[in-house]
């Protein structure tokens, strides 16, 4: 993951070339043949914008396993974009999760978002069966373990000695984890959220991606608190364009975030709520980038119009090859 970070300061007399902020997308596996067809069109446009990576969500208890793997494979085999697989721990045994991880790694996926996982539909948080895992940190450790076991070392050519090989330690995978600017609904305090993030980094995570949020300060304060506690991995802000009042209610239901009343009012009273949602997400993106965010991760809802409009607005859309 390229990108500068809050608090990165060059030493005296050292010139550091500015690193452009990155952008990336999240999408979910299509749930019907019609949705699959529609996704092809939007995916082609998202891919053409040259994102850093595209992450693909994973349904509760592996319910979207084949669909997720299908989209990840499509990205690997047909595009230059790096796919990131969301991988959830809920309800899984270590043995099952290891087996599934091997399948993902065998398919060529080397980038994961390790998550505890949402409860399946109809299951309350308090009824959730976590299986062998007590937290996402344990999943982070397992992913590194399975990768080390598959590929304990790699060989390098030795320059000037044809045929000679040098052993190096095995390829590292990218393991992202979730972070919560306004706290995880289960968390009792800010300190618990930061401790959870520290534990994830200690377990081997090398990137955090945040839950959606509606005020730049929510993200910037989380980053400040995380840095003060010793978290060093980049923390990418997750930004969701919300294009209607109905969608806002659904997004809050899923995320547990508090109602952003100004945005609600603007969506409710505008004749063009989609433009309101795009402008809000673009302003949020500009503010977090100005505050030092290493990039933006856009929740696409499997569409391309809003994410590309936001990137254009903030000046990150440089590709001139976006299909109509
Ligand atoms: P953890 O880090 O394990 O813990 C979450 C919180 O619970 C922490 O605040 C921790 O303090 C608290 N906690 C943990 N254990 C305990 C305990 N024993 N007692 C009290 N509190 C505890 N879900 C999906 O199902 N599929 C997806 O594809 C998906 N993608 C996501 C992408 C992003 C960017 C984000 C932010 C979330 C995503 N989610 C997804 C949702 C995620 O699975 C849930 O938010 C889940 O509740 C938390 O996951 P975690 O990995 O942060 O869990």
């Amino acid at each position: 993951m390229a990108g500068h970070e809050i608090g990165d300061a060059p030493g005296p007399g050292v010139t550091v070339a500015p690193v452009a902020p990155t952008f990336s997308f999240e999408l979910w596996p299509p749930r019907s043949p019609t949705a699959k067809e529609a996704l092809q069109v939007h995916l082609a446009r998202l891919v053409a914008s040259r994102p850093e990576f595209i992450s693909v969500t994973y349904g509760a208890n592996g319910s979207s396993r084949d669909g997720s793997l299908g989209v990840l494979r499509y990205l690997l085999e047909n595009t230059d974009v790096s796919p990131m697989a969301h991988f959830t721990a809920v309800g899984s045994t270590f043995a099952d999760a290891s087996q599934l991880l091997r399948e993902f790694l065998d398919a060529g996926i080397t980038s994961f978002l390790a998550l505890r996982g949402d409860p399946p539909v109809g299951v309350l948080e308090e009824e959730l069966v976590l299986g062998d895992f007590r937290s996402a940190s344990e999943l982070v450790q397992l992913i590194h373990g399975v990768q080390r076991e598959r590929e304990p070392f790699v060989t390098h050519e030795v320059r000037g000695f044809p045929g000679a090989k040098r052993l190096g330690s095995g390829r590292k995978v990218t393991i992202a984890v979730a972070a919560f600017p306004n706290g995880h609904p289960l968390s009792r305090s800010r300190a618990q959220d930061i401790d959870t993030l520290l534990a994830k980094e200690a377990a081997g995570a090398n990137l955090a991606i945040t839950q959606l949020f509606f005020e730049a300060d929510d993200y910037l304060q989380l980053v400040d608190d995380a840095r003060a506690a010793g978290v060093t991995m980049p923390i990418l802000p997750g930004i969701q364009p919300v294009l209607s009042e109905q969608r806002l209610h659904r997004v809050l239901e899923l995320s547990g975030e508090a109602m952003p009343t100004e945005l609600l009012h603007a969506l409710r009273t505008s004749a063009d709520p989609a433009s309101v949602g795009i402008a809000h997400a673009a302003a949020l993106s500009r503010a977090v980038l100005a505050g030092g965010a290493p990039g933006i991760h856009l929740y696409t809802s499997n569409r391309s119009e809003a994410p590309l409009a936001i990137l254009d607005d903030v000046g990150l859309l440089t590709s001139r090859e976006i299909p109509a």
Side-chain angles (χ1 to χ4, degrees), residues 36-97:
K36 192 173 177 181
E37 216 171 289
L39 181 60
Q40 291 289 341
V41 175
H42 292 290
L43 192 51
R45 301 186 79 231
L46 294 171
V47 164
S49 70
R50 305 210 190 102
E52 183 82 0
F53 64 89
I54 293 182
S55 78
V56 183
T57 65
Y58 194 75
N61 274 348
S63 55
S64 73
R65 169 198 163 129
D66 292 344
S68 300
L69 202 48
V71 180
L72 294 160
R73 277 211 170 99
Y74 176 85
L75 287 169
L76 268 179
E77 290 163 11
N78 300 283
T79 76
D80 294 331
V81 176
S82 168
M84 176 184 282
H86 293 212
F87 199 98
T88 60
V90 156
S92 198
T93 61
F94 290 141
D96 288 348

Side-chain angles (χ1 to χ4, degrees), residues 9 21 32 73 89 118 130 138 148 161 197 229 243 255 261 306-307 318:
S32 69
R73 277 211 170 99
D118 283 328
L130 273 178
E138 293 186 355
R148 259 197 311 273
F161 295 90
L197 202 52
L243 309 184
S255 65
T261 45
T318 52

Side-chain angles (χ1 to χ4, degrees), residues 26 57-58 86 88 113-118 125 134-136 178 180 184 186-188 192-193 196 200 209-211 299:
E26 176 190 289
T57 65
Y58 194 75
H86 293 212
T88 60
L113 174 52
L115 299 149
R116 191 200 70 173
D118 283 328
E125 272 286 349
R134 274 165 303 162
S135 69
F180 296 84
H184 184 276
L186 276 184
S187 177
R188 283 180 296 270
Q192 190 183 351
D193 283 307
T196 304
K200 290 175 180 183
I209 304 179
T210 76
Q211 178 61 287
Y299 297 122

